[in-house]
Amino acid sequence: MKKMNVLLALGLFAFAPAIFSQKNIDPKDIREKMQWFADAKLGIFIHSGIYAVNGVDESWSFYNKKLSYADYMKQLNGFTLKKYDPAYWAGLIKESGARYAVVTTKHHDGVAMYDTRMNGLSIVKKAPAKQDLIKPLFEELRKQNIKCGAYYSLIDWSDNNYPAFLKDSNRYVVSKDYDRWNRFRNFFQGQIKEINTMFRPDLWWFDGDWEHSAEEWESQKVRSIILSGNPKAIINGRLQGYGDYETPEQNFPVTRPNYHWWELCMTSNDNWGFHNDNNWKTPYEIITIFVDAVANGGNLLLDIGPKEDGTLPEEQVNILKELGAWNNKHGEAIFNTVGGLPQGHFYGPSTLSKDSTTLYMFLHGKMNGPVMIKGLKNKVEEVTVLGNGTKLQPKIVGKISWSPIPGLVYIDVPASVADNYVTVLRIKLDKPLNLYKGSGGLN
């Protein structure tokens, strides 16, 4: 078998050039540690930071000169966390059905959400909050058996050793001032070591890698730092090729991505942090996006943005609760499944049980009437409306007794069983899924 085919079979081709260039990397170990992520399907992203005080763009607002850096940093004085309840956050995340959560430990603005020892810029030292946001949240999440992820920005627009400090000033070419760049590398790698030691994240969510190369970041060294402290930690794809999975942002892929493990990160309105933004996605929109991601073999990392006092917008609470109620009813079709039918066999998203003997079909909206499956060689043993229990009778159309080509499977779905958001049909097969791939006729 050619090398590329081997990598594809292992599900590792997306990041193989970097991972396999390292020594002592066992593909089996990577697959095993990624299994919980593959089964998790849903994570909650938490963008908490001083940008919530005035409801402005996180970090980018001063970088893009919507306001001055000085005015942006004045928000430190209003970041209180006076109503912060990490147990409530964790309980709400659990209720949503999420299996993991990712929280900002430091965004591009350089403000640490924990008590960093690498400098004095943290909400513990500089804000009236005077507390570490990360530790109590991780403790509460772990009580709920939810995996803990740390978002960390590699770039730092408040550090005067960073070459893009305040965008226009302090620029320098790394190759011409490696002493200065090394001072910054020691700083950010020191923070990574702190976070790894203090919180032992199950997942690392890097951001900002686009500004420098893997060599300049020392990406392989960063990966080694993390794994030496926690060999089971997984890393997102924003480490210049040294991550474990890909993270498309906001834009949903039309066709199933080629990489094996992936996660769609998406906001619940149009902004990551708390913002003066009321363009909320509806629970229906979130649930259908989530279903499509899972059906295409990925996860959804859904973002929420807490206010400066630690409370959550009512709209985001409602989204998480509605998502959780739907997951509670239909979770069998989501969690611990794999991507479903290839395009063309069913005009909608679907998933499969891991043994491929149960097919789950998702019907968006209050859809009713006949739905169709093409090219199914299996015998359908039973069709049930998931979460409802109603049994439906499939009808086979166009099957010729002397031809090996399967007929079309029609299932009539009555309006009375339709879910408010997405209805799920559970289709029990006689054996593992077997699909017809021919072009019709007598072939």
Side-chain angles (χ1 to χ4, degrees), residues 30 79 92 102 143 154 163 172 191 202 214 235 250 261 274 314 344 364 398 408 439:
I30 296 174
F79 194 79
L92 186 61
V102 179
K143 288 178 185 177
L154 294 165
Y172 67 91
Q191 286 194 323
D202 302 294
I235 301 168
Q250 298 283 41
W261 299 294
F274 176 75
E314 292 181 4
H364 288 190
L408 305 174
S439 57

Side-chain angles (χ1 to χ4, degrees), residues 256-288:
R256 188 174 298 186
N258 290 327
Y259 24 83
H260 190 65
W261 299 294
W262 68 276
E263 161 199 84
L264 172 66
C265 58
M266 180 170 281
T267 53
S268 49
N269 51 11
D270 291 335
N271 287 275
W272 297 104
F274 176 75
H275 205 280
N276 300 313
D277 168 10
N278 291 313
N279 192 27
W280 298 104
K281 295 178 179 70
T282 66
Y284 169 77
E285 290 163 351
I286 292 294
I287 291 169
T288 53

Side-chain angles (χ1 to χ4, degrees), residues 56-215:
V56 298
D57 301 351
E58 67 290 338
S59 304
W60 293 97
S61 52
F62 72 82
Y63 186 86
N64 290 326
K65 298 184 177 180
K66 292 183 178 180
L67 74 168
S68 70
Y69 175 74
D71 285 342
Y72 179 93
M73 296 306 288
K74 284 178 183 176
Q75 292 179 107
L76 274 164
N77 300 325
F79 194 79
T80 67
L81 288 183
K82 61 185 178 182
K83 296 181 180 179
Y84 177 43
D85 185 348
Y88 173 74
W89 285 18
L92 186 61
I93 290 167
K94 180 73 171 182
E95 185 178 349
S96 76
R99 273 38 174 182
Y100 64 106
V102 179
V103 62
T104 47
T105 62
K106 188 207 74 173
H107 206 268
H108 312 328
D109 58 15
V111 179
M113 306 304 290
Y114 69 100
D115 191 14
T116 180
R117 300 295 194 270
M118 297 304 296
N119 64 12
L121 188 53
S122 71
I123 60 169
V124 180
K125 295 184 176 71
K126 296 291 187 180
K130 300 295 182 188
Q131 62 174 304
D132 177 344
L133 181 141
I134 308 301
K135 182 179 178 181
L137 179 59
F138 274 26
E139 288 175 349
E140 294 297 335
L141 288 170
R142 284 173 170 144
K143 288 178 185 177
Q144 301 281 3
N145 198 32
I146 295 169
K147 298 284 189 180
C148 299
Y151 168 104
Y152 183 82
S153 171
L154 294 165
I155 58 182
D156 192 321
W157 292 328
S158 285
D159 191 295
N160 60 13
N161 284 318
Y162 189 74
F165 177 63
L166 297 189
K167 193 173 184 179
D168 295 325
S169 63
N170 256 11
R171 285 194 176 274
Y172 67 91
V173 178
V174 168
S175 61
K176 295 182 179 179
D177 196 347
Y178 246 89
D179 288 341
R180 190 173 180 183
W181 178 244
N182 276 327
R183 288 196 293 272
F184 178 73
R185 285 201 298 204
N186 289 336
F187 162 72
F188 91 79
Q189 290 174 15
Q191 286 194 323
I192 289 171
K193 291 174 184 176
E194 282 182 333
I195 294 166
N196 214 33
T197 301
M198 295 168 68
F199 311 122
R200 288 184 62 80
D202 302 294
L203 180 153
W204 281 82
W205 214 100
F206 286 109
D207 203 5
D209 70 329
W210 64 83
E211 291 203 346
H212 296 280
S213 67
E215 186 276 331

Side-chain angles (χ1 to χ4, degrees), residues 3 6-7 10-28 30-31 241-242:
K3 182 178 180 182
V6 173
L7 295 174
L10 293 174
L12 298 171
F13 182 64
F15 53 90
I19 295 295
F20 285 96
S21 68
Q22 302 175 72
K23 295 180 180 180
N24 303 319
I25 297 296
D26 185 345
K28 181 181 178 183
I30 296 174
R31 294 198 307 275
Y242 284 81

Side-chain angles (χ1 to χ4, degrees), residues 268-269 280 303-306 312-320:
S268 49
N269 51 11
W280 298 104
D303 182 70
I304 59 175
L312 298 172
E314 292 181 4
E315 294 86 352
Q316 289 179 337
V317 172
N318 180 60
I319 286 170
L320 294 185

